[in-house]
Amino acid sequence: MPPYTPLPQTRARGLVDRLSEASEVGTANDVVLLRLEQEAQQLMQADVVGAHTVLGGVASLRWDLDRVRHHFRIALQHLDAATTHNNYAVALSNVEELQAAYGEVSTAHDRAPDDKSFLEHAIRLSGHAGRFADGRRLCERWNALAPDTPHPLTPRMTRLASAVESNVFTESGVQRLLGIMSELQRDDHVRTVATATWEDAKEPSSFLHEVLVDATTAEAARLNTMFVDRVISQADLMEDPGSHFVPVFIGARV
């Protein structure tokens, strides 16, 4: 998960840095969150954007999507800028709202197209949100900005986008699958640690999408069972993407 973008004000910057630390999987607890919340409230008069950014981030760590939206709506009313949209994307990702998060980071990139931190965030999130054509386009933008250091996800995004263009599967089918995974994660408050997508060497245009989650192996296995049960109950998902794009949960904890 990318960190929140630091804010220019000294006090707000320190709070946002601490919020990023708390957002690392396994590091937040009630005491840390309460302290951040109290200090953000004290900051409200001096820096309303910074205060609501921190409060929205704290809400995401409590899995309170309504409060995330509330606080960032106010933050955007006061500062409709790339930084605010990017931080909103981070908070939305923390509650596994991938499509909304991708929309916000896309706005951040559009507002600051040469900012490589926003571009990197958009590339990473495009893969996990099933936005492969966008991912390829974003990688091309990165490569234009840094021709000597092409983005490492360029080949993967190119192959995924090509599979869509060849009608192997659709982005909408993949997005529905990933949406089911996100629903299961929200229900159980299981946060994503990292993702990776691998092409089958023996069967081109078939992909395994691994979602490393903050859960034990047994808990991940239970999530996989529930995921399969939901997918097989929807015949159209068995056709598109079918076996050509297979997501799987992997537990990150022993």
Side-chain angles (χ1 to χ4, degrees):
M1 176 63 61
Y4 290 88
T5 304
L7 302 179
Q9 294 87 346
T10 302
R11 193 172 170 196
R13 186 185 186 96
L15 279 180
V16 171
D17 287 345
R18 285 164 53 197
L19 174 63
S20 291
E21 293 174 3
S23 298
E24 295 179 8
V25 172
T27 61
N29 58 54
D30 289 341
V31 173
V32 170
L33 297 183
L34 181 59
R35 189 168 297 153
L36 280 170
E37 197 170 44
Q38 291 172 339
E39 293 186 41
Q41 291 288 0
Q42 294 168 6
L43 183 64
M44 191 67 71
Q45 294 300 318
D47 180 8
V48 65
V49 175
H52 281 286
T53 295
V54 174
L55 291 171
V58 169
S60 77
L61 296 176
R62 290 178 172 152
W63 293 91
D64 190 338
L65 178 57
D66 288 341
R67 298 302 292 174
V68 171
R69 288 172 171 158
H70 168 76
H71 288 297
F72 276 99
R73 182 171 61 247
I74 296 172
L76 284 166
Q77 287 172 353
H78 287 269
L79 184 64
D80 188 356
T83 296
T84 317
H85 285 283
N86 187 69
N87 285 337
Y88 193 7
V90 175
L92 288 167
S93 294
N94 274 336
V95 290
E96 303 300 329
E97 283 285 337
L98 300 180
Q99 299 305 323
Y102 179 71
E104 293 299 326
V105 77
S106 294
T107 299
H109 169 60
D110 289 342
R111 298 285 179 85
D114 293 339
D115 189 305
K116 290 178 69 177
S117 65
F118 299 154
L119 181 54
E120 171 71 14
H121 188 186
I123 290 170
R124 297 287 174 180
L125 195 48
S126 68
H128 191 33
R131 302 293 190 115
F132 306 133
D134 284 355
R136 179 176 60 186
R137 174 181 56 81
L138 291 165
C139 284
E140 290 170 351
R141 174 62 181 166
W142 176 284
N143 297 343
L145 290 173
D148 294 333
T149 55
H151 199 280
L153 289 183
T154 302
R156 187 178 307 160
M157 288 299 183
T158 299
R159 290 193 292 270
L160 285 161
S162 295
V164 172
E165 291 169 350
S166 299
N167 297 315
V168 176
F169 49 76
T170 66
E171 285 193 351
S172 60
V174 169
Q175 289 163 19
R176 284 180 60 198
L177 278 186
L178 299 176
I180 292 171
M181 298 186 86
S182 294
E183 289 173 9
L184 292 171
Q185 290 178 254
R186 283 194 296 273
D187 288 346
D188 278 17
H189 290 184
V190 175
R191 192 161 279 120
T192 298
V193 176
T195 66
T197 308
W198 310 99
E199 189 171 18
D200 190 329
K202 296 180 179 179
E203 192 172 338
S205 297
S206 292
F207 302 87
L208 176 68
H209 181 70
E210 298 178 340
V211 181
L212 187 67
V213 292
D214 183 29
T216 65
T217 301
E219 290 166 340
R222 183 177 61 82
L223 287 171
N224 282 321
T225 298
M226 291 191 292
F227 174 69
V228 170
D229 287 344
R230 290 198 189 185
V231 171
I232 62 176
S233 68
Q234 302 180 55
D236 55 340
L237 288 178
M238 298 298 290
E239 295 293 328
D240 173 28
S243 62
H244 293 288
F245 188 92
V246 179
V248 61
F249 290 111
I250 298 177
R253 289 193 275 115
V254 177

mmCIF file of all heavy atoms in Angstrom, residues 96 98-99 127-132 169-186 209 227-228 230-242 245 247 249:
data_model
loop_
_atom_site.group_PDB
_atom_site.id
_atom_site.type_symbol
_atom_site.label_atom_id
_atom_site.label_comp_id
_atom_site.label_asym_id
_atom_site.label_seq_id
_atom_site.Cartn_x
_atom_site.Cartn_y
_atom_site.Cartn_z
ATOM 1 N N GLU A 96 -10.684 -1.548 0.716
ATOM 2 C CA GLU A 96 -10.877 -2.432 -0.438
ATOM 3 C C GLU A 96 -11.939 -1.920 -1.404
ATOM 4 O O GLU A 96 -12.626 -2.700 -2.070
ATOM 5 C CB GLU A 96 -11.213 -3.858 0.023
ATOM 6 C CG GLU A 96 -10.166 -4.464 0.937
ATOM 7 C CD GLU A 96 -8.782 -4.566 0.311
ATOM 8 O OE1 GLU A 96 -8.698 -4.729 -0.916
ATOM 9 O OE2 GLU A 96 -7.786 -4.485 1.058
ATOM 10 N N LEU A 98 -11.779 -0.713 -4.537
ATOM 11 C CA LEU A 98 -10.754 -0.595 -5.559
ATOM 12 C C LEU A 98 -11.153 0.298 -6.726
ATOM 13 O O LEU A 98 -10.336 1.084 -7.214
ATOM 14 C CB LEU A 98 -10.388 -1.988 -6.084
ATOM 15 C CG LEU A 98 -9.844 -2.969 -5.044
ATOM 16 C CD1 LEU A 98 -9.521 -4.300 -5.718
ATOM 17 C CD2 LEU A 98 -8.610 -2.400 -4.366
ATOM 18 N N GLN A 99 -12.389 0.176 -7.204
ATOM 19 C CA GLN A 99 -12.779 0.973 -8.359
ATOM 20 C C GLN A 99 -12.832 2.454 -8.010
ATOM 21 O O GLN A 99 -12.369 3.304 -8.781
ATOM 22 C CB GLN A 99 -14.131 0.493 -8.910
ATOM 23 C CG GLN A 99 -14.133 -0.956 -9.382
ATOM 24 C CD GLN A 99 -13.057 -1.247 -10.417
ATOM 25 O OE1 GLN A 99 -12.756 -0.419 -11.282
ATOM 26 N NE2 GLN A 99 -12.464 -2.442 -10.350
ATOM 27 N N GLY A 127 -3.709 -2.515 -12.018
ATOM 28 C CA GLY A 127 -3.622 -3.971 -12.113
ATOM 29 C C GLY A 127 -4.555 -4.665 -11.150
ATOM 30 O O GLY A 127 -5.201 -5.658 -11.492
ATOM 31 N N HIS A 128 -4.646 -4.142 -9.921
ATOM 32 C CA HIS A 128 -5.491 -4.777 -8.911
ATOM 33 C C HIS A 128 -6.963 -4.451 -9.115
ATOM 34 O O HIS A 128 -7.834 -5.150 -8.590
ATOM 35 C CB HIS A 128 -5.043 -4.342 -7.516
ATOM 36 C CG HIS A 128 -5.663 -5.131 -6.408
ATOM 37 N ND1 HIS A 128 -5.989 -6.468 -6.531
ATOM 38 C CD2 HIS A 128 -6.053 -4.782 -5.148
ATOM 39 C CE1 HIS A 128 -6.533 -6.902 -5.392
ATOM 40 N NE2 HIS A 128 -6.589 -5.890 -4.559
ATOM 41 N N ALA A 129 -7.254 -3.407 -9.884
ATOM 42 C CA ALA A 129 -8.642 -3.038 -10.140
ATOM 43 C C ALA A 129 -9.158 -3.589 -11.468
ATOM 44 O O ALA A 129 -10.307 -3.367 -11.826
ATOM 45 C CB ALA A 129 -8.787 -1.511 -10.128
ATOM 46 N N GLY A 130 -8.306 -4.318 -12.201
ATOM 47 C CA GLY A 130 -8.737 -4.881 -13.473
ATOM 48 C C GLY A 130 -8.876 -3.843 -14.568
ATOM 49 O O GLY A 130 -9.708 -3.984 -15.472
ATOM 50 N N ARG A 131 -8.045 -2.800 -14.528
ATOM 51 C CA ARG A 131 -8.067 -1.737 -15.542
ATOM 52 C C ARG A 131 -6.809 -1.876 -16.407
ATOM 53 O O ARG A 131 -5.886 -1.076 -16.325
ATOM 54 C CB ARG A 131 -8.099 -0.367 -14.863
ATOM 55 C CG ARG A 131 -9.270 -0.152 -13.930
ATOM 56 C CD ARG A 131 -10.587 -0.103 -14.692
ATOM 57 N NE ARG A 131 -11.677 0.325 -13.850
ATOM 58 C CZ ARG A 131 -12.371 1.451 -14.010
ATOM 59 N NH1 ARG A 131 -12.054 2.276 -15.003
ATOM 60 N NH2 ARG A 131 -13.369 1.747 -13.207
ATOM 61 N N PHE A 132 -6.795 -2.911 -17.234
ATOM 62 C CA PHE A 132 -5.550 -3.291 -17.904
ATOM 63 C C PHE A 132 -5.183 -2.367 -19.059
ATOM 64 O O PHE A 132 -3.998 -2.084 -19.274
ATOM 65 C CB PHE A 132 -5.643 -4.739 -18.378
ATOM 66 C CG PHE A 132 -6.010 -5.695 -17.276
ATOM 67 C CD1 PHE A 132 -7.002 -6.646 -17.460
ATOM 68 C CD2 PHE A 132 -5.362 -5.633 -16.055
ATOM 69 C CE1 PHE A 132 -7.342 -7.523 -16.442
ATOM 70 C CE2 PHE A 132 -5.699 -6.512 -15.020
ATOM 71 C CZ PHE A 132 -6.693 -7.452 -15.218
ATOM 72 N N PHE A 169 -10.917 -12.528 -22.405
ATOM 73 C CA PHE A 169 -11.846 -12.184 -21.326
ATOM 74 C C PHE A 169 -12.079 -10.676 -21.394
ATOM 75 O O PHE A 169 -11.414 -9.967 -22.169
ATOM 76 C CB PHE A 169 -11.315 -12.600 -19.943
ATOM 77 C CG PHE A 169 -9.898 -12.166 -19.659
ATOM 78 C CD1 PHE A 169 -9.585 -10.850 -19.335
ATOM 79 C CD2 PHE A 169 -8.849 -13.087 -19.706
ATOM 80 C CE1 PHE A 169 -8.287 -10.460 -19.066
ATOM 81 C CE2 PHE A 169 -7.540 -12.698 -19.447
ATOM 82 C CZ PHE A 169 -7.260 -11.378 -19.128
ATOM 83 N N THR A 170 -13.028 -10.211 -20.620
ATOM 84 C CA THR A 170 -13.320 -8.779 -20.606
ATOM 85 C C THR A 170 -12.852 -8.163 -19.293
ATOM 86 O O THR A 170 -12.742 -8.848 -18.271
ATOM 87 C CB THR A 170 -14.825 -8.511 -20.750
ATOM 88 O OG1 THR A 170 -15.516 -9.015 -19.595
ATOM 89 C CG2 THR A 170 -15.383 -9.182 -22.007
ATOM 90 N N GLU A 171 -12.592 -6.871 -19.329
ATOM 91 C CA GLU A 171 -12.246 -6.177 -18.093
ATOM 92 C C GLU A 171 -13.426 -6.200 -17.120
ATOM 93 O O GLU A 171 -13.235 -6.328 -15.912
ATOM 94 C CB GLU A 171 -11.843 -4.736 -18.391
ATOM 95 C CG GLU A 171 -10.463 -4.604 -19.005
ATOM 96 C CD GLU A 171 -9.960 -3.170 -19.010
ATOM 97 O OE1 GLU A 171 -10.753 -2.254 -18.695
ATOM 98 O OE2 GLU A 171 -8.769 -2.958 -19.311
ATOM 99 N N SER A 172 -14.638 -6.090 -17.632
ATOM 100 C CA SER A 172 -15.800 -6.085 -16.737
ATOM 101 C C SER A 172 -15.941 -7.416 -16.004
ATOM 102 O O SER A 172 -16.292 -7.451 -14.818
ATOM 103 C CB SER A 172 -17.084 -5.777 -17.515
ATOM 104 O OG SER A 172 -17.318 -6.753 -18.525
ATOM 105 N N GLY A 173 -15.631 -8.521 -16.681
ATOM 106 C CA GLY A 173 -15.678 -9.819 -16.014
ATOM 107 C C GLY A 173 -14.641 -9.918 -14.919
ATOM 108 O O GLY A 173 -14.914 -10.394 -13.813
ATOM 109 N N VAL A 174 -13.420 -9.462 -15.204
ATOM 110 C CA VAL A 174 -12.358 -9.468 -14.193
ATOM 111 C C VAL A 174 -12.734 -8.565 -13.029
ATOM 112 O O VAL A 174 -12.554 -8.922 -11.859
ATOM 113 C CB VAL A 174 -11.023 -9.022 -14.819
ATOM 114 C CG1 VAL A 174 -9.977 -8.774 -13.740
ATOM 115 C CG2 VAL A 174 -10.522 -10.075 -15.800
ATOM 116 N N GLN A 175 -13.269 -7.393 -13.324
ATOM 117 C CA GLN A 175 -13.639 -6.456 -12.266
ATOM 118 C C GLN A 175 -14.728 -7.030 -11.353
ATOM 119 O O GLN A 175 -14.716 -6.797 -10.148
ATOM 120 C CB GLN A 175 -14.082 -5.132 -12.878
ATOM 121 C CG GLN A 175 -12.939 -4.339 -13.478
ATOM 122 C CD GLN A 175 -13.389 -3.247 -14.417
ATOM 123 O OE1 GLN A 175 -14.554 -2.817 -14.397
ATOM 124 N NE2 GLN A 175 -12.490 -2.774 -15.265
ATOM 125 N N ARG A 176 -15.646 -7.782 -11.922
ATOM 126 C CA ARG A 176 -16.667 -8.428 -11.087
ATOM 127 C C ARG A 176 -16.032 -9.456 -10.149
ATOM 128 O O ARG A 176 -16.393 -9.541 -8.975
ATOM 129 C CB ARG A 176 -17.721 -9.088 -11.967
ATOM 130 C CG ARG A 176 -18.699 -8.103 -12.594
ATOM 131 C CD ARG A 176 -19.708 -8.822 -13.455
ATOM 132 N NE ARG A 176 -20.486 -9.774 -12.675
ATOM 133 C CZ ARG A 176 -21.181 -10.770 -13.212
ATOM 134 N NH1 ARG A 176 -21.158 -10.982 -14.522
ATOM 135 N NH2 ARG A 176 -21.881 -11.591 -12.441
ATOM 136 N N LEU A 177 -15.091 -10.244 -10.668
ATOM 137 C CA LEU A 177 -14.391 -11.215 -9.819
ATOM 138 C C LEU A 177 -13.667 -10.510 -8.675
ATOM 139 O O LEU A 177 -13.783 -10.901 -7.504
ATOM 140 C CB LEU A 177 -13.368 -11.999 -10.630
ATOM 141 C CG LEU A 177 -13.810 -13.189 -11.462
ATOM 142 C CD1 LEU A 177 -12.588 -13.871 -12.052
ATOM 143 C CD2 LEU A 177 -14.624 -14.171 -10.649
ATOM 144 N N LEU A 178 -12.919 -9.462 -9.017
ATOM 145 C CA LEU A 178 -12.159 -8.745 -8.004
ATOM 146 C C LEU A 178 -13.093 -8.043 -7.022
ATOM 147 O O LEU A 178 -12.759 -7.893 -5.839
ATOM 148 C CB LEU A 178 -11.217 -7.740 -8.676
ATOM 149 C CG LEU A 178 -10.171 -8.362 -9.608
ATOM 150 C CD1 LEU A 178 -9.350 -7.269 -10.285
ATOM 151 C CD2 LEU A 178 -9.256 -9.323 -8.851
ATOM 152 N N GLY A 179 -14.254 -7.636 -7.504
ATOM 153 C CA GLY A 179 -15.241 -7.031 -6.605
ATOM 154 C C GLY A 179 -15.752 -8.016 -5.575
ATOM 155 O O GLY A 179 -15.993 -7.653 -4.415
ATOM 156 N N ILE A 180 -15.935 -9.276 -5.975
ATOM 157 C CA ILE A 180 -16.355 -10.313 -5.024
ATOM 158 C C ILE A 180 -15.282 -10.505 -3.956
ATOM 159 O O ILE A 180 -15.580 -10.619 -2.761
ATOM 160 C CB ILE A 180 -16.645 -11.640 -5.758
ATOM 161 C CG1 ILE A 180 -17.877 -11.497 -6.644
ATOM 162 C CG2 ILE A 180 -16.848 -12.780 -4.756
ATOM 163 C CD1 ILE A 180 -18.122 -12.691 -7.565
ATOM 164 N N MET A 181 -14.016 -10.534 -4.383
ATOM 165 C CA MET A 181 -12.924 -10.663 -3.416
ATOM 166 C C MET A 181 -12.952 -9.500 -2.421
ATOM 167 O O MET A 181 -12.815 -9.695 -1.208
ATOM 168 C CB MET A 181 -11.574 -10.711 -4.133
ATOM 169 C CG MET A 181 -11.390 -11.883 -5.059
ATOM 170 S SD MET A 181 -9.712 -11.968 -5.733
ATOM 171 C CE MET A 181 -8.870 -12.891 -4.444
ATOM 172 N N SER A 182 -13.136 -8.296 -2.929
ATOM 173 C CA SER A 182 -13.162 -7.122 -2.056
ATOM 174 C C SER A 182 -14.318 -7.185 -1.066
ATOM 175 O O SER A 182 -14.165 -6.811 0.103
ATOM 176 C CB SER A 182 -13.261 -5.843 -2.897
ATOM 177 O OG SER A 182 -12.097 -5.652 -3.663
ATOM 178 N N GLU A 183 -15.474 -7.653 -1.511
ATOM 179 C CA GLU A 183 -16.621 -7.789 -0.610
ATOM 180 C C GLU A 183 -16.298 -8.745 0.534
ATOM 181 O O GLU A 183 -16.614 -8.473 1.701
ATOM 182 C CB GLU A 183 -17.841 -8.291 -1.383
ATOM 183 C CG GLU A 183 -18.439 -7.265 -2.335
ATOM 184 C CD GLU A 183 -19.538 -7.873 -3.192
ATOM 185 O OE1 GLU A 183 -19.939 -9.032 -2.922
ATOM 186 O OE2 GLU A 183 -20.001 -7.190 -4.124
ATOM 187 N N LEU A 184 -15.690 -9.860 0.205
ATOM 188 C CA LEU A 184 -15.312 -10.829 1.237
ATOM 189 C C LEU A 184 -14.306 -10.219 2.211
ATOM 190 O O LEU A 184 -14.393 -10.433 3.427
ATOM 191 C CB LEU A 184 -14.726 -12.085 0.586
ATOM 192 C CG LEU A 184 -15.694 -12.940 -0.230
ATOM 193 C CD1 LEU A 184 -14.935 -14.016 -0.999
ATOM 194 C CD2 LEU A 184 -16.753 -13.569 0.673
ATOM 195 N N GLN A 185 -13.371 -9.447 1.692
ATOM 196 C CA GLN A 185 -12.375 -8.822 2.560
ATOM 197 C C GLN A 185 -13.013 -7.784 3.480
ATOM 198 O O GLN A 185 -12.664 -7.690 4.661
ATOM 199 C CB GLN A 185 -11.269 -8.173 1.713
ATOM 200 C CG GLN A 185 -10.372 -9.179 1.013
ATOM 201 C CD GLN A 185 -9.320 -8.511 0.159
ATOM 202 O OE1 GLN A 185 -9.420 -8.506 -1.063
ATOM 203 N NE2 GLN A 185 -8.306 -7.936 0.788
ATOM 204 N N ARG A 186 -13.946 -6.990 2.941
ATOM 205 C CA ARG A 186 -14.627 -6.003 3.788
ATOM 206 C C ARG A 186 -15.451 -6.685 4.863
ATOM 207 O O ARG A 186 -15.482 -6.248 6.019
ATOM 208 C CB ARG A 186 -15.506 -5.092 2.936
ATOM 209 C CG ARG A 186 -14.733 -4.027 2.175
ATOM 210 C CD ARG A 186 -15.668 -2.965 1.622
ATOM 211 N NE ARG A 186 -16.573 -3.503 0.638
ATOM 212 C CZ ARG A 186 -16.298 -3.613 -0.665
ATOM 213 N NH1 ARG A 186 -15.117 -3.213 -1.120
ATOM 214 N NH2 ARG A 186 -17.180 -4.108 -1.508
ATOM 215 N N HIS A 209 -3.897 -14.371 -10.527
ATOM 216 C CA HIS A 209 -3.815 -13.091 -9.809
ATOM 217 C C HIS A 209 -3.777 -13.395 -8.309
ATOM 218 O O HIS A 209 -4.773 -13.834 -7.734
ATOM 219 C CB HIS A 209 -5.029 -12.222 -10.145
ATOM 220 C CG HIS A 209 -5.020 -10.875 -9.475
ATOM 221 N ND1 HIS A 209 -4.135 -9.880 -9.832
ATOM 222 C CD2 HIS A 209 -5.780 -10.374 -8.463
ATOM 223 C CE1 HIS A 209 -4.366 -8.808 -9.086
ATOM 224 N NE2 HIS A 209 -5.348 -9.081 -8.243
ATOM 225 N N PHE A 227 -15.091 -17.566 -1.903
ATOM 226 C CA PHE A 227 -14.977 -16.926 -3.216
ATOM 227 C C PHE A 227 -15.427 -17.884 -4.323
ATOM 228 O O PHE A 227 -16.229 -17.518 -5.196
ATOM 229 C CB PHE A 227 -13.534 -16.477 -3.437
ATOM 230 C CG PHE A 227 -13.266 -15.935 -4.810
ATOM 231 C CD1 PHE A 227 -13.806 -14.732 -5.209
ATOM 232 C CD2 PHE A 227 -12.462 -16.645 -5.692
ATOM 233 C CE1 PHE A 227 -13.560 -14.227 -6.488
ATOM 234 C CE2 PHE A 227 -12.207 -16.149 -6.964
ATOM 235 C CZ PHE A 227 -12.757 -14.939 -7.365
ATOM 236 N N VAL A 228 -14.924 -19.102 -4.295
ATOM 237 C CA VAL A 228 -15.293 -20.089 -5.324
ATOM 238 C C VAL A 228 -16.792 -20.348 -5.288
ATOM 239 O O VAL A 228 -17.449 -20.433 -6.346
ATOM 240 C CB VAL A 228 -14.496 -21.388 -5.127
ATOM 241 C CG1 VAL A 228 -15.040 -22.489 -6.037
ATOM 242 C CG2 VAL A 228 -13.017 -21.152 -5.411
ATOM 243 N N ARG A 230 -19.175 -18.369 -4.481
ATOM 244 C CA ARG A 230 -19.897 -17.248 -5.093
ATOM 245 C C ARG A 230 -19.726 -17.238 -6.604
ATOM 246 O O ARG A 230 -20.665 -16.940 -7.353
ATOM 247 C CB ARG A 230 -19.422 -15.919 -4.499
ATOM 248 C CG ARG A 230 -19.837 -15.721 -3.060
ATOM 249 C CD ARG A 230 -19.738 -14.251 -2.662
ATOM 250 N NE ARG A 230 -19.940 -14.078 -1.235
ATOM 251 C CZ ARG A 230 -20.006 -12.892 -0.641
ATOM 252 N NH1 ARG A 230 -19.873 -11.782 -1.361
ATOM 253 N NH2 ARG A 230 -20.194 -12.802 0.657
ATOM 254 N N VAL A 231 -18.523 -17.556 -7.058
ATOM 255 C CA VAL A 231 -18.259 -17.493 -8.496
ATOM 256 C C VAL A 231 -19.024 -18.581 -9.251
ATOM 257 O O VAL A 231 -19.635 -18.310 -10.292
ATOM 258 C CB VAL A 231 -16.744 -17.605 -8.774
ATOM 259 C CG1 VAL A 231 -16.478 -17.756 -10.267
ATOM 260 C CG2 VAL A 231 -16.015 -16.383 -8.230
ATOM 261 N N ILE A 232 -19.011 -19.808 -8.723
ATOM 262 C CA ILE A 232 -19.655 -20.905 -9.457
ATOM 263 C C ILE A 232 -21.175 -20.764 -9.466
ATOM 264 O O ILE A 232 -21.855 -21.411 -10.275
ATOM 265 C CB ILE A 232 -19.252 -22.286 -8.897
ATOM 266 C CG1 ILE A 232 -19.708 -22.444 -7.438
ATOM 267 C CG2 ILE A 232 -17.751 -22.495 -9.038
ATOM 268 C CD1 ILE A 232 -19.414 -23.827 -6.871
ATOM 269 N N SER A 233 -21.709 -19.912 -8.605
ATOM 270 C CA SER A 233 -23.157 -19.675 -8.611
ATOM 271 C C SER A 233 -23.555 -18.691 -9.713
ATOM 272 O O SER A 233 -24.748 -18.463 -9.933
ATOM 273 C CB SER A 233 -23.618 -19.142 -7.251
ATOM 274 O OG SER A 233 -23.118 -17.826 -7.024
ATOM 275 N N GLN A 234 -22.557 -18.114 -10.403
ATOM 276 C CA GLN A 234 -22.828 -17.143 -11.468
ATOM 277 C C GLN A 234 -22.219 -17.676 -12.765
ATOM 278 O O GLN A 234 -21.013 -17.556 -13.008
ATOM 279 C CB GLN A 234 -22.240 -15.783 -11.104
ATOM 280 C CG GLN A 234 -22.785 -15.242 -9.780
ATOM 281 C CD GLN A 234 -22.191 -13.901 -9.424
ATOM 282 O OE1 GLN A 234 -22.246 -12.958 -10.208
ATOM 283 N NE2 GLN A 234 -21.629 -13.797 -8.220
ATOM 284 N N ALA A 235 -23.070 -18.279 -13.586
ATOM 285 C CA ALA A 235 -22.605 -18.990 -14.776
ATOM 286 C C ALA A 235 -21.821 -18.086 -15.722
ATOM 287 O O ALA A 235 -20.852 -18.531 -16.365
ATOM 288 C CB ALA A 235 -23.798 -19.596 -15.510
ATOM 289 N N ASP A 236 -22.199 -16.821 -15.808
ATOM 290 C CA ASP A 236 -21.509 -15.949 -16.751
ATOM 291 C C ASP A 236 -20.054 -15.721 -16.354
ATOM 292 O O ASP A 236 -19.175 -15.576 -17.221
ATOM 293 C CB ASP A 236 -22.240 -14.613 -16.896
ATOM 294 C CG ASP A 236 -22.458 -13.908 -15.567
ATOM 295 O OD1 ASP A 236 -22.405 -14.581 -14.515
ATOM 296 O OD2 ASP A 236 -22.691 -12.683 -15.574
ATOM 297 N N LEU A 237 -19.773 -15.735 -15.046
ATOM 298 C CA LEU A 237 -18.387 -15.586 -14.605
ATOM 299 C C LEU A 237 -17.562 -16.830 -14.912
ATOM 300 O O LEU A 237 -16.348 -16.748 -15.068
ATOM 301 C CB LEU A 237 -18.328 -15.277 -13.108
ATOM 302 C CG LEU A 237 -18.772 -13.874 -12.691
ATOM 303 C CD1 LEU A 237 -18.703 -13.723 -11.178
ATOM 304 C CD2 LEU A 237 -17.914 -12.809 -13.363
ATOM 305 N N MET A 238 -18.238 -17.979 -14.979
ATOM 306 C CA MET A 238 -17.530 -19.201 -15.357
ATOM 307 C C MET A 238 -17.106 -19.152 -16.835
ATOM 308 O O MET A 238 -16.176 -19.838 -17.245
ATOM 309 C CB MET A 238 -18.421 -20.417 -15.107
ATOM 310 C CG MET A 238 -18.799 -20.606 -13.640
ATOM 311 S SD MET A 238 -17.367 -20.891 -12.572
ATOM 312 C CE MET A 238 -16.900 -22.536 -13.104
ATOM 313 N N GLU A 239 -17.794 -18.313 -17.606
ATOM 314 C CA GLU A 239 -17.441 -18.133 -19.018
ATOM 315 C C GLU A 239 -16.454 -16.988 -19.201
ATOM 316 O O GLU A 239 -15.529 -17.063 -20.010
ATOM 317 C CB GLU A 239 -18.713 -17.867 -19.838
ATOM 318 C CG GLU A 239 -19.686 -19.032 -19.888
ATOM 319 C CD GLU A 239 -19.122 -20.219 -20.654
ATOM 320 O OE1 GLU A 239 -18.338 -19.989 -21.611
ATOM 321 O OE2 GLU A 239 -19.436 -21.363 -20.306
ATOM 322 N N ASP A 240 -16.681 -15.913 -18.484
ATOM 323 C CA ASP A 240 -15.849 -14.710 -18.617
ATOM 324 C C ASP A 240 -15.578 -14.127 -17.236
ATOM 325 O O ASP A 240 -16.495 -13.622 -16.598
ATOM 326 C CB ASP A 240 -16.570 -13.664 -19.483
ATOM 327 C CG ASP A 240 -15.838 -12.330 -19.525
ATOM 328 O OD1 ASP A 240 -14.593 -12.315 -19.369
ATOM 329 O OD2 ASP A 240 -16.522 -11.294 -19.712
ATOM 330 N N PRO A 241 -14.354 -14.244 -16.726
ATOM 331 C CA PRO A 241 -13.133 -14.655 -17.442
ATOM 332 C C PRO A 241 -12.866 -16.152 -17.435
ATOM 333 O O PRO A 241 -11.896 -16.596 -18.051
ATOM 334 C CB PRO A 241 -12.042 -13.923 -16.664
ATOM 335 C CG PRO A 241 -12.554 -13.842 -15.278
ATOM 336 C CD PRO A 241 -14.038 -13.661 -15.409
ATOM 337 N N GLY A 242 -13.696 -16.938 -16.725
ATOM 338 C CA GLY A 242 -13.456 -18.374 -16.689
ATOM 339 C C GLY A 242 -12.094 -18.709 -16.118
ATOM 340 O O GLY A 242 -11.636 -18.070 -15.163
ATOM 341 N N PHE A 245 -8.471 -16.001 -16.125
ATOM 342 C CA PHE A 245 -8.006 -15.058 -15.106
ATOM 343 C C PHE A 245 -8.522 -15.575 -13.768
ATOM 344 O O PHE A 245 -9.725 -15.520 -13.483
ATOM 345 C CB PHE A 245 -8.522 -13.643 -15.367
ATOM 346 C CG PHE A 245 -7.917 -12.605 -14.448
ATOM 347 C CD1 PHE A 245 -6.767 -11.914 -14.817
ATOM 348 C CD2 PHE A 245 -8.492 -12.329 -13.213
ATOM 349 C CE1 PHE A 245 -6.207 -10.960 -13.969
ATOM 350 C CE2 PHE A 245 -7.935 -11.388 -12.358
ATOM 351 C CZ PHE A 245 -6.794 -10.698 -12.741
ATOM 352 N N PRO A 247 -8.211 -15.372 -9.723
ATOM 353 C CA PRO A 247 -7.699 -14.730 -8.514
ATOM 354 C C PRO A 247 -7.650 -15.720 -7.357
ATOM 355 O O PRO A 247 -8.477 -16.642 -7.268
ATOM 356 C CB PRO A 247 -8.723 -13.620 -8.229
ATOM 357 C CG PRO A 247 -9.691 -13.641 -9.383
ATOM 358 C CD PRO A 247 -9.604 -15.000 -9.979
ATOM 359 N N PHE A 249 -6.597 -15.881 -2.925
ATOM 360 C CA PHE A 249 -6.086 -15.286 -1.703
ATOM 361 C C PHE A 249 -4.897 -16.096 -1.182
ATOM 362 O O PHE A 249 -4.925 -17.341 -1.209
ATOM 363 C CB PHE A 249 -7.158 -15.287 -0.604
ATOM 364 C CG PHE A 249 -8.296 -14.339 -0.841
ATOM 365 C CD1 PHE A 249 -9.567 -14.816 -1.132
ATOM 366 C CD2 PHE A 249 -8.113 -12.966 -0.730
ATOM 367 C CE1 PHE A 249 -10.632 -13.945 -1.326
ATOM 368 C CE2 PHE A 249 -9.153 -12.079 -0.929
ATOM 369 C CZ PHE A 249 -10.425 -12.573 -1.219
#
